[in-house]
Amino acid sequence: MEELKNFSVTAERLQQLNDKELKEGGKYVVYWMQESMRAYENPALEYAIRWANDLDTYCVVVFTLIDDFPEANLRHYKFLIEGLKEAADRITERGIKFILLHGPRAEKIAGFVKENDVCAVVTDRAYTRHERKWRSDAADKLEVPLVQVEGNVVVPVETASDKQEYAARTIRKKIMGKVEAFSQEVTETKPDKPSKRVHLSGDMELNSVSGVLDQLKVDRGVKPLDEFVGGTSEARKHLTAFLRSDLKGYADGRLEPAEDATSHISPYLHFGHISPCEIYRKVNDSSAPKSDREGYIEELVVRRELAHNFVWYAPDTYDSLEAVPDWAQETMEKHESDKRPHHYTREELENGKTDDEAWNAAMKEMRERGFLPNYMRMYWGKQIITYTNTYQYAYETTLYLNNKYFMDGRDPNSYTNVLWLFGLHDRGWTERDVFGKLRTMTRGGLDRKYDVEAYIERVKG
Ligand SMILES: Cc1cc2nc3c(=O)[nH]c(=O)nc-3n(C[C@H](O)[C@H](O)[C@H](O)COP(=O)(O)OP(=O)(O)OC[C@H]3O[C@@H](n4cnc5c(N)ncnc54)[C@H](O)[C@@H]3O)c2cc1C
């Protein structure tokens, strides 16, 4: 693997995942797209085009679609395919062939490479266990190099820190010191040999979103959404509206649930429809007040990339209570048998049948909108600790509902923030019943800070 000369994708973003040799005289460099489903500011795509140009070969893009992505349902798939269609159309406009394969990811890409004259494969980076496994399986099966290019965080995870960080305060300086260098625009490379007419075919045509969805055997139990439509242009619409509003007074206003005054960009980040570097630059260069810009960058870069740091360095435990610090384990052990003030079944919770109207409104917003403002996510999750009889069941229920309904669920942010409810990246607080030393959130606190009636009214519509 080489760092390509005079090129905006630098060595820190690159890793060769196997030790196979480049196939001399091969006809194609494949970009195996999985996480960065976009045609703009996608370092893996630009790297593949540039590599193909240097080798005097064609670049082609291959996406492998599976029916059973863990915990994904129709809501997520529709958004994914919308974004993928826009990416495929733009890639084709750039003269590059886009191929959609359907079936087990590693086997499919290895089969495609074997049957066609491919000299090397480039892919993008992901963090969760199954995504890592697909890449390592493909790395083993392929007879050609597999190079991974990191494009979904601003600062590559190992460059930001070489270990699991304890909290935002321990990673902030490290990451913010590097953010300028790593947020530069990735310049577009023109393919020297356009591949769009080469004779290669996939398993499915991507002519329409519904046409692809109809062919998939996916969980259809959760209804798709109108508010969030996938794709880079939709992501940019949300971002532009947010920038035009001067970041909506983010520093002070972001937590007010009734106002919902945030960027709504998390689903697009999750599906790789927009680059975090693009968001960072546009926010940083905007004329919004400094406190709002800094407040936003704290979330987009420090908190989001702390979540990536956690999932990357805790691959076996990021979705388990085992991952929380010792003080949190000890306090949960001590308070495990405290009497909970309520007891609801998972079904009652899912249907919003508690005696707290604000909590029920949050659950309704999750189910029907696939989204919740940040403060309501915290409040919603903290209450589940008091609604169930063990921490383990509270944790499992929260993660299950989070990943089932949120458009941005199943993300490093999901695992990290659900564990935050149980002490991850936090500190011990004054000891209380049920919560022990975990940070407490109560309905009284919610009422004191925010206009809860206005929130409930907003959700009622
Ligand atoms: C219990 C709980 C569960 C959560 N589940 C998810 C989830 O499944 N997926 C998800 O993406 N986020 C999750 N979050 C984090 C956060 O609430 C959302 O990222 C944010 O509300 C998304 O809205 P936005 O894009 O308008 O955010 P904005 O406030 O506009 O922030 C911009 C971006 O910064 C990042 N960000 C914001 N807040 C956080 C945070 N606390 N931690 C890490 N990154 C952050 C996100 O990428 C977000 O898109 C959860 C938080 C809690 C407390």
Side-chain angles (χ1 to χ4, degrees):
M1 182 198 63
E2 53 178 326
E3 186 179 5
L4 303 175
K5 290 194 184 69
N6 303 322
F7 192 47
S8 52
V9 181
T10 55
E12 293 88 343
R13 294 207 182 269
L14 308 177
Q15 278 175 342
Q16 183 159 341
L17 301 182
N18 58 13
D19 55 7
K20 310 288 169 54
E21 300 279 322
L22 190 76
K23 184 175 168 195
E24 291 297 329
K27 220 168 147 191
Y28 305 105
V29 171
V30 167
Y31 165 32
W32 180 29
M33 177 188 273
Q34 292 183 93
E35 289 299 307
S36 304
M37 296 174 222
R38 61 179 185 270
Y40 299 93
E41 287 232 24
N42 179 342
L45 171 63
E46 302 309 328
Y47 185 87
I49 301 171
R50 177 60 204 273
W51 200 3
N53 286 352
D54 283 9
L55 294 170
D56 195 25
T57 57
Y58 297 102
C59 171
V60 297
V61 177
V62 177
F63 189 91
T64 46
L65 189 57
I66 52 172
D67 299 69
D68 53 355
F69 196 104
E71 296 183 275
N73 54 52
L74 189 61
R75 172 171 291 182
H76 306 117
Y77 270 98
K78 177 171 169 281
F79 190 91
L80 180 152
I81 307 289
E82 285 163 348
L84 195 61
K85 170 137 179 47
E86 185 182 340
D89 290 348
R90 170 75 185 126
I91 284 165
T92 313
E93 270 168 35
R94 288 179 68 183
I96 299 163
K97 179 99 178 168
F98 181 90
I99 294 161
L100 185 57
L101 299 178
H102 182 208
R105 291 188 143 177
E107 287 76 4
K108 273 284 169 182
I109 192 67
F112 181 87
V113 167
K114 200 167 181 183
E115 283 159 26
N116 300 293
D117 197 7
V118 174
C119 48
V121 179
V122 174
T123 193
D124 38 39
R125 186 170 186 176
Y127 297 86
T128 54
R129 205 175 297 121
H130 42 276
E131 292 167 314
R132 288 169 79 158
K133 172 108 172 57
W134 290 324
R135 281 165 180 74
S136 63
D137 286 353
D140 289 345
K141 289 181 198 301
L142 288 169
E143 295 299 327
V144 298
L146 176 62
V147 173
Q148 174 178 270
V149 185
E150 182 155 35
N152 286 339
V153 290
V154 178
V155 182
V157 74
E158 289 92 350
T159 310
S161 171
D162 59 3
K163 61 173 197 292
Q164 187 183 333
E165 291 291 338
Y166 195 74
R169 72 185 143 73
T170 66
I171 201 173
R172 186 173 294 114
K173 249 193 178 162
K174 297 181 186 177
I175 218 161
M176 290 310 292
K178 299 180 179 106
V179 81
E180 276 309 316
F182 284 96
S183 57
Q184 303 305 316
E185 189 170 354
V186 178
T187 43
E188 278 197 6
T189 304
K190 195 167 178 284
D192 291 344
K193 294 173 81 163
S195 60
K196 102 176 161 184
R197 296 193 204 291
V198 297
H199 291 288
L200 291 173
S201 54
D203 300 329
M204 281 180 179
E205 292 302 322
L206 189 37
N207 295 330
S208 77
V209 173
S210 59
V212 172
L213 284 177
D214 287 348
Q215 294 176 65
L216 297 180
K217 292 192 188 74
V218 301
D219 169 4
R220 290 173 192 271
V222 183
K223 119 173 160 332
L225 302 166
D226 298 329
E227 176 177 347
F228 292 105
V229 176
T232 304
S233 50
E234 286 290 323
R236 286 178 170 168
K237 268 191 216 163
H238 282 277
L239 182 60
T240 305
F242 187 61
L243 292 167
R244 282 213 184 109
S245 72
D246 263 354
L247 312 187
K248 300 181 182 165
Y250 190 82
D252 294 332
R254 79 180 187 94
L255 292 177
E256 174 59 74
E259 295 297 325
D260 192 24
T262 60
S263 65
H264 305 111
I265 211 84
S266 52
Y268 300 93
L269 282 165
H270 171 72
F271 285 91
H273 293 174
I274 190 162
S275 156
C277 299
E278 175 179 345
I279 305 174
Y280 168 80
R281 288 195 314 273
K282 288 182 175 167
V283 168
N284 199 39
D285 296 347
S286 76
S287 55
K290 188 164 178 268
S291 58
D292 295 330
R293 281 185 280 129
E294 286 178 353
Y296 188 82
I297 289 164
E298 166 73 14
E299 302 303 326
L300 174 77
V301 180
V302 178
R303 303 280 167 169
R304 179 169 182 269
E305 298 192 9
L306 175 64
H308 285 75
N309 166 284
F310 167 63
V311 168
W312 182 256
Y313 287 115
D316 299 329
T317 55
Y318 68 75
D319 52 355
S320 134
L321 274 184
E322 277 172 52
V324 301
D326 291 348
W327 68 263
Q329 306 268 8
E330 284 157 19
T331 204
M332 287 193 277
E333 212 170 292
K334 186 170 165 201
H335 290 270
E336 180 72 338
S337 52
D338 286 2
K339 189 168 170 5
R340 273 49 171 177
H342 308 274
H343 191 206
Y344 298 110
T345 63
R346 189 175 284 183
E347 200 185 348
E348 284 169 327
L349 293 175
E350 191 159 358
N351 292 315
K353 300 282 182 215
T354 74
D355 65 355
D356 177 355
E357 239 196 304
W359 194 93
N360 296 343
M363 196 60 239
K364 177 173 157 63
E365 192 174 16
M366 270 180 87
R367 282 195 319 269
E368 295 178 4
R369 190 183 175 215
F371 191 81
L372 263 191
N374 178 256
Y375 197 88
M376 289 314 289
R377 295 195 197 211
M378 296 192 245
Y379 178 73
W380 166 82
K382 284 287 184 184
Q383 297 322 297
I384 297 178
I385 296 175
T386 72
Y387 289 166
T388 46
N389 58 359
T390 66
Y391 297 107
Q392 180 61 29
Y393 193 66
Y395 170 72
E396 286 169 12
T397 302
T398 310
L399 191 61
Y400 164 77
L401 294 172
N402 188 98
N403 288 351
K404 179 170 179 182
Y405 290 111
F406 281 144
M407 202 69 243
D408 57 23
R410 306 167 300 116
D411 189 85
N413 261 353
S414 319
Y415 301 105
T416 307
N417 278 286
V418 170
L419 280 176
W420 172 85
L421 301 166
F422 298 85
L424 181 74
H425 297 157
D426 204 358
R427 63 174 171 86
W429 295 74
T430 308
E431 196 158 359
R432 295 185 202 280
D433 281 354
V434 182
F435 282 102
K437 290 185 182 168
L438 302 178
R439 184 192 295 253
T440 309
M441 283 186 161
T442 62
R443 174 64 199 260
L446 184 69
D447 287 333
R448 273 195 301 282
K449 287 193 178 115
Y450 300 114
D451 187 347
V452 179
E453 288 315 313
Y455 171 67
I456 295 170
E457 281 310 308
R458 175 170 74 67
V459 175
K460 275 188 191 155

